[in-house]
């Protein structure tokens, strides 16, 4: 083995693929889960044959040509365009907040200029006072009526915290469009892998020089590829949690986690759309995904459908870390951990857990491609 990759998410897979194909290296990837692909992984629900995203809905989108060309080596993409709706007080509104949402909400027929003026007037409620919490910040960005309807309680459910207790820094902007465009993403390329995420991710590792070892935790000293046995002996790409690598010696970084409730519902169509948000407190989950709608081009014939309710909360020990909370203390600890990484011999910390950063898939891939060139190639004396 020339290179050990810890974690088979998109960051680890991209580095492994490049190392095998561009440098001819023998790469071993370990993952503590029983499948490769990290959080982007999907599988087929056996009763219905419907592909579902095991760790929450994953929509691929990018404007980065290099990333787009790269991923197209392993999969083609459908022409899926993501759109989201929100249920509020028994009524369904299009998201992100756009002219359609505004006119439905205010029972009006405003044009863009009138709607802009209305929102500016409502957002001026604080009279120029600096927002001191999430509620005031939200009001200052889009005005109280829309903020309270679509963001306040949704955020309370995401954080399991009264929004008045959350800091203003959680949001810098709230998306509002003064057109009827309700495309969720505005990237140049968007779509879902034609044969599904599972086959895409498996193809990335499908190379004679790449060995994937599943069910193997880097910190489990009973297995041969553990930290003490490998660091310093072989170059390592580490995409697990950076705090865990250093045994939490500067304290654990805080994360939000998600709980998913998967259900096979006895109807061919549960909600008529892939994602429905619930912005009120009387519904405990934040959203429901219905996976058959991610692939309208597929001939799913099941008379049943697969739905997944998503709940959100602070992560405790043993929970899957999903979104960095990123408090001031977290940022300070992260700087400390980054200092510690300097002393590690030939260990590259990457990906969302290794850098304590939310990364979309295209960002994880872009980061891996660039760090492959700037760090991994030089390790092996290879020129760019
Ligand atoms: P990732 O978490 O995928 O992989 C890390 C791997 O390391 C895991 O497989 C883990 O098991 C393994 N590991 C950790 N510790 C280990 C240890 N000690 N030993 C061995 N293995 C270990 N992006 C996007 O573009 N569009 C979208 O719609 C979404 N949607 C979305 C929804 C939700 C709920 C989340 C949380 C995230 C998204 N994303 C997304 C982001 C996407 O999931 C993210 O970009 C990739 O997972 C990043 O890949 P990484 O390789 O960095 O991490």
């Amino acid at each position: 083995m020339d290179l050990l990759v810890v974690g088979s998410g998109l960051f680890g897979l991209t580095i492994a693929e490049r190392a095998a194909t561009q440098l001819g290296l023998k790469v071993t990837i370990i993952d503590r889960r029983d499948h490769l692909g990290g959080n982007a992984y999907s599988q087929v629900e056996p009763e219905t044959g419907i592909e579902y995203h095991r760790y929450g809905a994953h929509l691929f989108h990018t404007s980065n040509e290099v990333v787009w060309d790269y991923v197209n080596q392993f999969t083609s993409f459908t022409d899926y365009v993501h759109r989201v709706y929100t249920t509020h007080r028994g009524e369904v509104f299009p998201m992100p907040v756009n002219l359609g949402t505004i006119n439905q909400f205010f029972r009006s027929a405003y044009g863009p200029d009138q709607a802009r003026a209305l929102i500016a007037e409502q957002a001026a409620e604080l009279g120029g006072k600096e927002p001191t919490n999430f509620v005031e910040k939200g009001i200052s960005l889009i005005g109280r009526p829309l903020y309270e309807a679509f963001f306040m309680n949704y955020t309370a459910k995401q954080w399991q915290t009264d929004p008045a207790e959350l800091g203003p820094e959680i949001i810098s902007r709230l998306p509002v469009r003064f057109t009827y465009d309700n495309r969720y993403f505005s990237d140049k390329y968007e779509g879902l892998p034609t044969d599904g995420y599972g086959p895409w991710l498996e193809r990335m590792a499908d190379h004679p020089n790449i060995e994937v070892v599943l069910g193997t935790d880097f910190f489990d000293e009973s297995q041969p590829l553990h930290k003490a046995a490998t660091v310093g002996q072989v170059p390592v790409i580490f995409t697990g949690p950076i705090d865990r690598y250093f045994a939490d010696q500067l304290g654990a970084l805080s994360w939000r986690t998600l709980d998913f409730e998967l259900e096979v519902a006895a109807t061919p169509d549960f909600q008529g759309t892939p994602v429905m948000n619930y912005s009120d407190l009387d519904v405990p989950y934040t959203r429901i995904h219905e996976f058959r709608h991610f692939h309208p081009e597929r001939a799913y014939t099941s008379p049943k459908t697969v739905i997944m309710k998503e709940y959100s909360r602070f992560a405790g020990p043993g929970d899957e870390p999903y979104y960095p909370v990123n408090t001031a203390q977290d940022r300070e600890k992260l700087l400390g951990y980054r200092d510690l990484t300097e002393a590690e011999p030939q260990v590259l910390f990457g990906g969302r857990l290794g850098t304590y950063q939310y990364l979309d898939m295209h960002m994880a891939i872009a980061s891996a491609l660039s760090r492959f060139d700037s760090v991994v190639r030089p390790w092996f004396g290879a020129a760019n």
Side-chain angles (χ1 to χ4, degrees), residues 6-12 30-33 35 37-40 55-61 185 216-219 238-241 258 260 287 310 322-323 350-353 358-362 364:
V6 180
S8 63
L10 277 165
F11 189 94
I30 61 168
D31 202 295
R32 64 189 181 90
R33 291 176 174 165
H35 61 79
N39 281 0
Y55 303 94
H58 277 67
L59 300 317
F60 190 81
H61 56 98
F185 301 114
T216 302
D217 192 317
F218 190 51
F219 303 112
F238 181 75
T239 73
L258 300 172
F260 298 112
R287 48 187 179 167
E310 183 174 317
Y322 281 115
Y323 298 105
R352 59 181 203 98
L353 300 167
Y358 178 81
L359 297 174
D360 268 330
M361 292 181 278
H362 66 105

Side-chain angles (χ1 to χ4, degrees), residues 209-331:
N209 280 7
I210 299 179
E211 184 191 13
V212 181
V213 187
L214 298 173
T216 302
D217 192 317
F218 190 51
F219 303 112
D220 173 4
E221 300 207 339
S222 71
Q223 60 85 15
L225 296 172
H226 65 85
K227 182 182 167 193
T230 53
V231 171
Q233 309 297 316
V234 65
V236 173
I237 310 297
F238 181 75
T239 73
I242 187 170
D243 49 356
R244 181 84 177 78
Y245 181 96
F246 294 106
D248 289 343
Q249 61 179 277
L250 306 177
L253 295 163
S254 52
W255 291 84
R256 277 195 299 123
T257 192
L258 300 172
D259 297 310
F260 298 112
E261 248 176 47
L262 194 73
E263 230 177 272
V264 175
T267 168
D269 195 347
F270 177 82
Q271 62 185 16
T273 195
V275 179
M276 177 66 72
N277 290 351
Y278 288 85
S279 67
D280 300 335
L281 287 179
D282 55 348
V283 176
Y285 37 85
T286 49
R287 48 187 179 167
I288 298 183
H289 309 277
E290 184 175 4
F291 290 100
R292 74 184 315 142
H293 292 297
F294 286 119
H295 288 282
E297 81 289 355
R298 286 184 190 166
Y300 284 134
T301 51
S302 175
K304 297 185 179 175
T305 193
V306 179
I307 62 168
M308 193 162 85
K309 292 179 179 150
E310 183 174 317
Y311 301 79
S312 173
R313 60 185 169 81
F314 280 103
D319 286 327
E320 282 290 339
Y322 281 115
Y323 298 105
V325 174
N326 208 11
T327 61
Q329 292 96 307
D330 286 325
R331 287 194 289 274

Side-chain angles (χ1 to χ4, degrees), residues 84-106:
V84 173
Y85 294 85
T86 287
T87 297
H88 165 63
R89 293 199 180 149
E91 205 174 327
V92 174
F93 295 86
M95 289 284 117
V97 174
N98 62 74
L99 204 46
T101 324
I102 292 170
N103 278 329
Q104 184 181 346
F105 187 82
F106 292 109

